[in-house]
Amino acid sequence: MRAVWLLLLLSLPGSEGVLVEVPRRVNGMVGNPVVLPCNFTSPYTGYTTFEITVIWKVKTFYKGPVLFNSTNRARNEEGFENVVHTNVNGRYRLAGDPRQNDASLELRSATLEDTSQYFCRVEVKRQGLPPYMKETNPGVILKITGPPIILNMFIQVINATQFTLVCLVRGEPAPNILWIDPQRLPVNGSNTPVTRGPGKYQVVGELHGPKLGGNYTCKATNSQGDVTHNIYFAVVNEDRALLKVIIGSITFIRETRQQPGSSKYWKVKPKSTAETACTVPESPPDFNKE
Ligand SMILES: *[C@@H]1O[C@H](CO)[C@@H](O)[C@H](O)[C@H]1NC(C)=O
Ligand SMILES: *[C@@H]1O[C@H](CO)[C@@H](O)[C@H](O)[C@H]1NC(C)=O
Ligand SMILES: *[C@@H]1O[C@H](CO)[C@@H](O)[C@H](O)[C@H]1NC(C)=O
Ligand SMILES: *[C@@H]1O[C@H](CO)[C@@H](O)[C@H](O)[C@H]1NC(C)=O
Ligand SMILES: *[C@@H]1O[C@H](CO)[C@@H](O)[C@H](O)[C@H]1NC(C)=O
């Protein structure tokens, strides 16, 4: 892992003697597990009678919500056991052995919402001796990236003759959007604005005033992969305005495993194909009233 280790010293009471270290940043991918590394030293190394509690918090130093809380202790002369007190949504587990000074946390199946700062806290306690406690500050910043997903595609009716094709995409980094017209040519510039939102990690791509009838393709791309989705646009003729919408898609996800030496591969995941046909009334409501 490419990580810069940071030595963190805190002058809290009872903190002398325990050092806790985390890297400054860790990157992960949507759907993959991620390890937040954390290691420590304690003056009690060599004793078996002390307990090591590992706690991970998120967002805010010291006061942030606890995601994970587990105590490692001796188990009737046959090794040690981890007793887990808190494990929010069962998504976390120790990635190493606290007896080996490893307090790393593994997070199962990352999502974009996991992007945050995480704080590793280690408490070392031995009967009759003052406890040692230390929490990293700053914590480790986790950044999750993911390939684009097309959430929705639809035709917005501006008026009886003006339409906009809309493609709503989610992904991180923010995806680029390219429109391909029914003749398989990319659609040029100013008619295809892209804006951020409405939700987090979302972008909206628009194609104003499609001229041709047929399948238009929205292609969303970022560094993690790309996805395409088609929408069928029927040219509106004046006698009978018929709007038929066919939506189908194929998702290409480029998976980049984080372990060094592993190979990259492409996964082709056919998505469900929805077909919708709707007839626009011959006199669309209100459009021509003026
Ligand atoms: C944590 O691990 C790193 C890398 O192995 C090491 O350089 C550092 O000394 C360790 N820190 C502590 C507090 O054990
Ligand atoms: C961790 O769990 C122990 C045992 O339930 C509890 O006493 C302690 O207060 C917890 N620590 C935190 C920071 O939640
Ligand atoms: C439809 O909207 C476009 C652009 O806003 C405008 O130029 C056009 O005149 C409108 N047509 C009708 C029939 O309202
Ligand atoms: C945009 O239009 C110009 C001229 O019409 C053309 O040369 C260019 O290739 C087009 N670009 C794309 C991306 O279609
Ligand atoms: C549009 O795409 C659909 C499948 O999504 C296909 O069945 C249909 O033939 C295409 N229409 C045209 C005009 O290319």
Side-chain angles (χ1 to χ4, degrees):
M1 184 190 317
R2 272 192 305 123
V4 183
W5 288 83
L6 215 66
L7 186 65
L8 300 149
L9 289 162
L10 257 173
S11 50
L12 290 174
S15 70
E16 305 83 7
V18 181
L19 294 177
V20 182
E21 280 188 271
V22 292
R24 193 69 190 99
R25 288 173 187 283
V26 167
N27 296 318
M29 268 196 68
V30 167
N32 288 358
V34 191
V35 172
L36 299 172
C38 177
N39 63 348
F40 62 95
T41 54
S42 111
Y44 295 145
T45 307
Y47 294 87
T48 56
T49 48
F50 65 94
E51 293 185 346
I52 306 163
T53 298
V54 173
I55 291 155
W56 280 86
K57 300 177 186 176
V58 68
K59 289 192 182 92
T60 316
F61 170 67
Y62 194 69
K63 291 182 171 163
V66 173
L67 296 175
F68 186 82
N69 177 355
S70 164
T71 300
N72 183 287
R73 63 179 189 209
R75 183 180 51 193
N76 356 299
E77 293 143 36
E78 39 170 313
F80 299 93
E81 63 179 354
N82 289 308
V83 180
V84 177
H85 314 294
T86 306
N87 183 5
V88 173
N89 295 329
R91 290 185 68 206
Y92 307 92
R93 67 181 184 96
L94 289 169
D97 181 4
R99 288 290 145 185
Q100 304 297 320
N101 298 333
D102 191 341
S104 304
L105 186 75
E106 185 180 300
L107 190 161
R108 196 170 298 155
S109 189
T111 70
L112 295 180
E113 282 72 22
D114 290 323
T115 292
S116 192
Q117 189 169 183
Y118 293 78
F119 301 87
C120 175
R121 178 180 179 85
V122 177
E123 301 178 352
V124 178
K125 291 171 190 163
R126 192 168 179 242
Q127 199 106 53
L129 290 172
Y132 287 107
M133 302 177 186
K134 178 66 76 63
E135 183 167 334
T136 57
N137 189 22
V140 48
I141 294 169
L142 175 64
K143 169 80 183 171
I144 305 295
T145 54
I149 297 164
I150 295 180
L151 301 174
N152 196 6
M153 225 179 144
F154 56 94
I155 298 172
Q156 210 170 41
V157 180
I158 306 298
N159 61 33
T161 55
Q162 283 289 311
F163 302 92
T164 294
L165 308 186
V166 182
C167 185
L168 175 62
V169 185
R170 180 180 155 93
E172 180 65 23
N176 292 319
I177 294 183
L178 175 70
W179 288 93
I180 299 158
D181 74 15
Q183 294 173 340
R184 313 318 298 156
L185 294 173
V187 180
N188 249 334
S190 62
N191 288 336
T192 57
V194 176
T195 49
R196 282 292 187 113
K200 221 179 171 194
Y201 309 114
Q202 292 180 0
V203 295
V204 175
E206 291 178 323
L207 191 162
H208 293 159
K211 302 280 183 301
L212 306 165
N215 287 323
Y216 281 82
T217 301
C218 167
K219 179 172 184 179
T221 309
N222 71 10
S223 56
Q224 306 301 310
D226 57 74
V227 61
T228 63
H229 213 96
N230 290 338
I231 189 161
Y232 186 86
F233 178 72
V235 172
V236 183
N237 65 52
E238 274 131 47
D239 307 333
R240 196 167 179 278
L242 176 71
L243 205 62
K244 200 183 175 209
V245 183
I246 296 170
I247 301 171
S249 89
I250 298 176
T251 310
F252 294 91
I253 296 173
R254 185 163 57 235
E255 294 218 335
T256 350
R257 297 276 171 194
Q258 286 180 305
Q259 292 84 3
S262 73
S263 60
K264 294 177 181 180
Y265 62 94
W266 290 81
K267 191 164 80 182
V268 180
K269 187 171 75 182
K271 256 190 149 180
S272 65
T273 298
E275 189 165 322
T276 321
C278 62
T279 307
V280 175
E282 282 171 35
S283 322
D286 295 329
F287 294 146
N288 295 321
K289 282 183 195 161
E290 222 139 61

